[in-house]
Amino acid sequence: MSVVQRFAVPIDLHTHSSISDGTQTPEELVRAAQQAGLGTVALTDHDSSKGWAEAAEAARQERITLIPGMELSTKVGGTSVHMLAYLFDPENVELVEELQRIREARRTRAESMVSRIGRDYDFTWDDVVAQSAVGTTLGRPHIADALVARGHATSRKDAFAGILNFRHGYYEPHYAPDPVTGARLIRAAGGVPVLAHPATRGIEHVIDEQRLAELVDAGLAGLEIDHPENEPSGMARLRELAVEHDLIVTGSSDYHGTGKVNRLGECTTAPDALARIIEQATGSEPVYPD
Ligand code: AMP
Ligand code: FE
Ligand code: FE
Ligand code: ZN
């Protein structure tokens, strides 16, 4: 390792706060990470870096290393592809503009889904506003929380299996760039792109090899292989692909507070993998405890 390792283990590189669909503020999340015994935590809200400053302040107080990050929405065909982005410049104009476009599209899509649900259920946009922080990246989880508050679902999971599922006719997609564009934008902002949970639907849905090669050309740095929802059959193939393309392998919990069952530190990243991410990043710095 060429840099002195200033971060502690265990390392969890994928968590969400109320800046997107997590249930804790960035400060609460960082405190929970420290209490869970983590040495390093990445904050990776969907399509937003708005939580970085608050998380950094809490990380300094709690003496835990913070890796500022994000989970970028992209899609190919109709399929959503999540791309983690670490240590990019949060003021990079092209990236900032693209993030605004995605968040705006998410908002319009949420409003449209809610108005359609409102035709069949006692449900309004005010219900969703009551369940989401100002400026948050709006997603189906906020609609789910509002459905629960109204008694139309018993939990986020129940809402996702029912009203919010695309089979039930209320689902709508939203604008997102394609993954190649996403990887290029992240790299151009000095960040390090890592494909999030690429095997949640098993080996058949692991990204096809042609597309993976294109993504590597566009700057993809790694694969999030150790993730609670990746299926074992797909994970084995991903490990081979990581070796083939010399990709960084990460592991993380994808913690959403009480919004999902995933526990902080449930899956973790090896120190040499994080060291490689830090070495490649030029957009911003980790927040170290000293
Ligand atoms: P969206 O991007 O608005 O379509 O919403 C997708 C988000 O919903 C993902 O980022 C997950 O965090 C969350 N999600 C998906 N399925 C579930 C589930 N069954 N229970 C809780 N959260 C879920
Ligand atoms: Fe999420
Ligand atoms: Fe995701
Ligand atoms: Zn996530």
Side-chain angles (χ1 to χ4, degrees), residues 14 46 71 82 196-197 254:
H14 184 165
H46 297 285
E71 186 173 16
H82 286 176
H197 47 71
D254 204 354

Side-chain angles (χ1 to χ4, degrees), residues 5-73:
Q5 191 181 302
R6 293 173 63 194
F7 53 83
V9 294
I11 302 160
D12 186 339
L13 290 186
H14 184 165
T15 70
H16 296 266
S17 76
S18 52
I19 296 295
S20 63
D21 54 359
T23 56
Q24 291 167 306
T25 64
E27 179 184 341
E28 288 164 350
L29 167 67
V30 168
R31 293 198 199 292
Q34 194 275 336
Q35 276 157 24
L38 293 178
T40 300
V41 66
L43 176 67
T44 55
D45 278 306
H46 297 285
D47 308 313
S48 180
S49 61
K50 289 182 193 172
W52 286 14
E54 183 183 319
E57 176 66 27
R60 284 187 198 97
Q61 283 174 18
E62 296 295 330
R63 308 189 63 72
I64 180 172
T65 301
L66 174 77
I67 306 296
M70 177 176 74
E71 186 173 16
L72 179 69
S73 302

